[in-house]
Amino acid sequence: MFRTLLRLCGLGDHESADQLRALTERREQLSTRTDDQLKSAARAARGDADVIETFALAAAITERVLGLRMFDVQLLGALAMQRGHIAEMKTGEGKTLAAVPAVIWYARQGRGAHVLTANDYLARRDSTWMRGIYDWFGLSVAHISQTMSPERRRAAYRCDVTYATANEVGFDYLRDGLARSAEELVQRPLVFALIDEADSILIDEARIPLVIAGGVPEDSAVACRVDSLMAELRRHQHYSIDEAARNVQLTDAGIERAEAALDCRNLFDADNFRILTAVQDALHAHALLKRNVDYVVKDGAIELVDEFKGRIAQNRRLPAGLQSAVEVKERVQLKTQGRILGSITVQSLTRMYERICGMTGTAATQAEEFWQVYRLPVTVIPTNRPVIRQDLPDLVYADQAARSLALTEEIRKIHQTERPILVGTASIEESEKLSRSLHLAGIDHSVLNARNDEAEAEIIAQAGALGAVTVSTNMAGRGTDILLGGNPPQDREKVVELGGLYVLGTTRHEARRIDNQLRGRAGRQGDPGTSRLLISLDDDLLLRFGIAENPDIESVQRTAEGQNLEIRKTLWKYDCTVEHHRREMYGLRREVLLSAGWSLRSMVREEQYLGLTQAAGNEALERAGRQLVLAIIDELWSDYLANVAELKGGIHWVSWGGRDPLYEFLTGEQAIYADFHRCLTEEIADALANAEMRDGVIHFPDGRRFERGATWTYITTDQPFGTLGERIVKGLRRKLSKHMRRHAN
């Protein structure tokens, strides 16, 4: 049995077989011990404990505390994660529990272990659920949520095991990066992380920058001025849309109308760069971003919708200009943008851990990316019971109207049998359109989308009930099991006789794993189930990647996956040097903040230092000097980020002259970073040269500029439609040269 399991999941070596056999044998021996004996054994070993003993204890204690006996496949998943792999375990196979032995093994080393979850709810649920197991090992456990105070966050990070979202860990890292005293820090060094829903966090959300901002809000008057122009522009006459490339561009007539309305002779003059940017952002806001698809208006604010999950993306914003353009378009209060003081992507954050591993229901189709980007092997763990779900062939329709009619009829037909149905849609708009059709057909149903995400767990829990029809956006309810017969499963046997949950999908997605996630909502733990996808030939995926040239839909998806991987790899090349310099800057900052051996003397001229020491005293000078240097680092780093963003925004123009954009960017970024260090030395010297002693206290010139002020965090997108340079080069290259010649004449 052991070798069969190991061969199925690609771990067919003798060592793995011996590990699993030894582990299960040791678990049986431990099962005869009393509670006190198990606790004593669990708390005896610390540091580099034996894997077999740790895992066997974890399995025995789990059965004692939760009444759940860990399956062999769960132990295999745990062993894979302990080795630093991504374990692919299907929906309903018990990933939450499988993670615990690996987390315990790492946490016993005394340096802290993080479990990164998909949302605050799962962080709270899983930490509470698994707390009893950790208690028997003498390990402290806590979770972090968005509303927690710094004091509670600090205490949570000091625990042996901390459950949190990657976003919250990233925001705390950024806030620590602006600390002015050791007492403000909340995190310990990042050592180990086990990543739940690894495909979502490490791929879907990996490139999304986490931002901390502050300072003076940016002027939004330009966005309001440009928005009034949009009512005058007509598609085809003034602008054109490339649906496949998600790009919009002005025509010659549109350029002329914009120049006349905005009173600027040449929209492409360097002096009009802000206006050109605002026009492009407004065009995207009006022509490409759709209400109830890309965002919703909720409580007087713009709430973005996660394109992969179909749910509201909490605390997320578009890039500053585009965010303002959408807010002006919808006539809601504009959010403060401010200066960016620090930024990090989830991809960069996870690379800071000494070691990571993960688990998810769908990883195999992205195995190449997990290895190339993170050096994480993927291990596919077999299911505890055979999967008997029927995955029916796709149904293909000529257009979306025909598909919608067929979908409603299919739901009506199945619903008559009282078999539960889950329908996965691609957007809020689509889910609500289907809901209206079902109402007209007299079919009772529930809708789960970004408008009512707070009811998600309750709705999903009942999606397997007899006669239930649930319409959901893509991945709503991920992390929550659908129980056949409802919750509690009072009609389970009747639903099983009907064939289990029937899953319908309304499209194929760019990534095959998204389709697999939807299918995987049915057929858990050997339950019956059925899945079927309904496809229209005018679906976005097929239009963008060319079904005419490539009639095999799975091949189209593989093409899309390959292109998206190349895009992410290219973006990483641009960010690699920035990430390296950010780490250098953070290292310098932490040395100034925490090192007892650091002295202001190392950063200024000797005579300047000695003169100030005589005037203020060594202790007072060093204390004030630390605060001064930290403030100047923060200010200049904000300038660095703004300069790099501007460089990246226009770097693709250089391809016109036959130069390599990446080389030009790396060269330019290096110059900006060198300027950061030059300015740092100069500004420190200048501030000290003009310092004054008043009442025995050192006062620096323009001291207010060194005050940190209020800060706020948010998530932004990573150039959702490409950089400004890419957008213009794609759509306006010919028009721009023609326009320039016309003005030259």
Side-chain angles (χ1 to χ4, degrees):
M1 179 186 69
F2 296 116
R3 293 196 184 280
T4 301
L5 280 174
L6 294 167
R7 189 166 59 252
L8 285 171
C9 63
L11 294 176
D13 56 275
H14 293 289
E15 181 184 359
S16 299
D18 292 343
Q19 274 192 312
L20 185 57
R21 183 182 296 105
L23 200 167
T24 54
E25 289 175 357
R26 181 58 177 155
R27 172 173 62 176
E28 294 307 314
Q29 294 170 3
L30 292 170
S31 66
T32 62
R33 296 192 179 183
T34 65
D35 289 358
D36 288 340
Q37 288 174 331
L38 278 179
K39 285 182 182 179
S40 178
R43 297 183 181 189
R46 303 288 290 185
D48 293 326
D50 178 71
V51 174
I52 300 301
E53 183 70 10
T54 299
F55 278 36
L57 281 166
I61 289 171
T62 295
E63 192 166 2
R64 198 72 58 90
V65 173
L66 300 181
L68 298 174
R69 182 173 178 83
M70 293 186 70
F71 306 131
D72 286 345
V73 292
Q74 288 177 302
L75 295 174
L76 279 175
L79 286 168
M81 287 183 272
Q82 184 270 333
R83 292 179 173 184
H85 292 205
I86 299 288
E88 178 181 284
M89 300 178 67
K90 301 301 182 186
T91 299
E93 291 295 305
K95 291 188 290 293
T96 303
L97 186 56
V100 172
V103 173
I104 289 172
W105 190 81
Y106 282 105
R108 291 176 77 168
Q109 298 174 28
R111 302 171 65 198
H114 293 175
V115 182
L116 303 185
T117 65
N119 55 53
D120 282 359
Y121 163 73
L122 292 176
R124 181 176 66 254
R125 184 199 72 177
D126 295 351
S127 64
T128 302
W129 186 15
M130 300 297 143
R131 182 183 302 277
I133 303 172
Y134 295 123
D135 285 345
W136 280 41
F137 279 88
L139 297 172
S140 55
V141 61
H143 77 278
I144 290 172
S145 64
Q146 190 174 346
T147 57
M148 278 187 175
S149 66
E151 291 74 22
R152 291 184 65 191
R153 289 172 182 270
R154 188 177 300 110
Y157 282 118
R158 293 299 183 273
C159 288
D160 297 300
V161 181
T162 307
Y163 285 76
T165 66
N167 292 348
E168 287 304 309
V169 174
F171 286 141
D172 285 330
Y173 175 81
L174 291 174
R175 282 186 283 259
D176 277 3
L178 293 175
R180 298 286 175 86
S181 68
E183 290 71 27
E184 293 181 39
L185 299 174
V186 301
Q187 284 185 342
R188 291 193 285 177
L190 304 179
V191 179
F192 168 75
L194 186 149
I195 303 170
D196 191 9
E197 307 295 3
D199 60 327
S200 177
I201 293 174
L202 295 181
I203 295 178
D204 297 340
E205 300 177 4
R207 295 293 318 151
I208 298 175
L210 311 179
V211 174
I212 186 166
V216 180
E218 294 178 355
D219 181 16
S220 58
V222 175
C224 297
R225 180 183 170 199
V226 167
D227 186 76
S228 61
L229 167 67
M230 294 301 109
E232 304 178 22
L233 303 184
R234 299 289 179 267
R235 186 175 180 179
H236 304 304
Q237 180 183 357
H238 299 113
Y239 65 89
S240 61
I241 298 176
D242 181 353
E243 297 282 5
R246 292 280 285 166
N247 190 42
V248 60
Q249 53 205 31
L250 288 170
T251 63
D252 283 348
I255 293 170
E256 291 172 2
R257 177 62 66 91
E259 290 172 343
L262 301 173
D263 193 26
C264 56
R265 181 177 178 274
N266 185 348
L267 189 60
F268 297 93
D269 277 346
D271 292 342
N272 293 327
F273 182 78
R274 286 190 63 202
I275 296 176
L276 173 62
T277 303
V279 169
Q280 197 71 19
D281 285 332
L283 271 174
H284 276 88
H286 282 264
L288 292 182
L289 293 181
K290 298 179 181 179
R291 186 170 179 167
N292 297 334
V293 176
D294 302 293
Y295 63 90
V296 297
V297 179
K298 190 175 182 180
D299 300 327
I302 300 297
E303 300 280 4
L304 300 187
V305 175
D306 188 306
E307 64 177 306
F308 294 101
K309 300 176 184 176
R311 295 181 287 188
I312 285 179
Q314 298 292 339
N315 199 30
R316 187 171 299 182
R317 302 185 191 183
L318 294 160
L322 192 54
Q323 176 77 28
S324 296
V326 175
E327 289 166 346
V328 172
K329 167 191 171 184
E330 297 293 349
R331 303 295 187 264
V332 301
Q333 184 176 356
L334 272 65
K335 287 186 177 180
T336 303
Q337 301 298 336
R339 298 183 70 195
I340 293 178
L341 305 177
S343 178
I344 190 171
T345 63
V346 172
Q347 182 174 353
S348 295
L349 177 71
T350 55
R351 283 171 172 266
M352 296 185 63
Y353 285 91
E354 292 180 18
R355 191 167 186 183
I356 62 173
C357 66
M359 56 186 184
T360 182
T362 46
T365 58
Q366 308 299 136
E368 179 185 1
E369 182 161 358
F370 278 123
W371 178 252
Q372 288 191 18
V373 177
Y374 299 100
R375 286 295 184 263
L376 288 172
V378 171
T379 297
V380 178
I381 306 297
T383 55
N384 182 52
R385 295 176 180 173
V387 176
I388 60 173
R389 181 186 67 242
Q390 287 184 295
D391 294 327
L392 300 177
D394 296 348
L395 295 177
V396 182
Y397 299 89
D399 53 42
Q400 295 183 18
R403 192 250 314 275
S404 296
L405 288 174
L407 177 62
T408 302
E409 176 59 23
E410 180 75 358
I411 294 171
R412 186 196 63 76
K413 183 176 66 176
I414 300 298
H415 182 58
Q416 287 179 339
T417 70
E418 293 194 295
R419 185 179 183 182
I421 303 168
L422 173 67
V423 187
T425 63
S427 68
I428 299 169
E429 183 180 56
E430 187 179 346
S431 69
E432 294 183 344
K433 182 178 178 180
L434 176 58
S435 177
R436 290 191 293 270
S437 297
L438 294 178
H439 277 303
L440 291 174
I443 300 173
D444 290 334
H445 61 281
S446 299
V447 179
L448 177 58
N449 60 30
R451 289 192 182 281
N452 59 344
D453 54 343
E454 61 275 4
E456 178 176 311
E458 181 181 349
I459 294 174
I460 283 294
Q462 300 303 329
L466 190 68
V469 177
T470 307
V471 179
S472 167
T473 43
N474 288 350
M475 292 160 60
R478 192 170 182 181
T480 305
D481 283 340
I482 297 177
L483 301 179
L484 297 188
N487 189 13
Q490 56 190 19
D491 295 313
R492 173 177 167 78
E493 293 307 316
K494 189 174 293 187
V495 172
V496 169
E497 289 177 7
L498 291 170
L501 183 67
Y502 195 124
V503 172
L504 289 167
T506 62
T507 188
R508 286 260 192 167
H509 298 88
E510 288 190 17
R512 287 167 291 166
R513 60 190 169 80
I514 306 295
D515 297 337
N516 293 338
Q517 286 158 6
L518 179 61
R519 293 186 190 276
R521 304 316 303 259
R524 62 181 294 276
Q525 281 294 325
D527 285 343
T530 304
S531 75
R532 169 161 260 167
L533 304 180
L534 287 76
I535 299 169
S536 166
L537 293 178
D538 56 359
D539 281 344
D540 182 62
L541 170 70
L542 304 186
L543 289 176
R544 291 180 63 193
F545 292 95
I547 189 63
E549 294 80 11
N550 198 346
D552 182 345
I553 293 175
E554 284 209 6
S555 181
V556 172
Q557 288 179 299
R558 284 192 290 271
T559 298
E561 289 169 354
Q563 289 188 15
N564 290 332
L565 172 57
E566 288 306 312
I567 289 171
R568 287 191 284 265
K569 287 165 62 178
T570 298
L571 288 171
W572 177 246
K573 291 176 184 176
Y574 277 86
D575 286 352
C576 236
T577 184
V578 176
E579 171 64 13
H580 175 69
H581 289 151
R582 185 192 58 74
R583 292 196 185 195
E584 284 188 354
M585 183 279 294
Y586 267 46
L588 170 62
R589 201 183 186 285
R590 289 186 77 86
E591 182 182 3
V592 175
L593 179 67
L594 300 175
S595 175
W598 181 87
S599 171
L600 180 64
R601 192 175 211 151
S602 63
M603 305 196 75
V604 297
R605 298 190 308 274
E606 182 69 11
E607 60 271 19
Q608 188 178 38
Y609 181 82
L610 292 175
L612 286 168
T613 301
Q614 291 176 353
N618 183 265
E619 184 177 343
L621 175 62
E622 288 293 339
R623 185 168 56 250
R626 284 182 193 260
Q627 294 299 302
L628 172 69
V629 172
L630 291 172
I632 292 176
I633 288 175
D634 293 344
E635 184 177 72
L636 293 179
W637 187 252
S638 180
D639 292 341
Y640 163 89
L641 291 174
N643 290 333
V644 168
E646 185 174 348
L647 172 67
K648 186 186 290 185
I651 199 64
H652 290 277
W653 286 106
V654 305
S655 61
W656 283 31
R659 292 178 289 164
D660 178 11
L662 178 59
Y663 173 79
E664 297 295 335
F665 173 79
L666 297 178
T667 303
E669 188 279 339
Q670 186 65 47
I672 294 171
Y673 187 63
D675 193 55
F676 162 78
H677 278 285
R678 180 185 58 78
C679 290
L680 178 62
T681 303
E682 292 178 356
E683 296 235 1
I684 293 172
D686 184 63
L688 292 175
N690 294 282
E692 298 179 357
M693 289 295 303
R694 295 197 300 270
D695 301 324
V697 178
I698 300 176
H699 293 270
F700 298 107
D702 192 17
R704 288 183 63 84
R705 66 183 274 240
F706 298 129
E707 295 177 5
R708 182 172 56 192
T711 61
W712 57 93
T713 57
Y714 61 90
I715 308 167
T716 187
T717 57
D718 190 33
Q719 304 290 355
F721 307 115
T723 65
L724 176 63
E726 288 174 318
R727 298 192 306 240
I728 294 174
V729 169
K730 283 179 182 176
L732 294 180
R733 180 177 298 183
R734 293 179 181 174
K735 295 179 179 65
L736 177 58
S737 58
K738 177 181 177 181
H739 185 68
M740 290 295 193
R741 289 196 301 271
R742 174 162 55 82
H743 276 286
N745 295 331

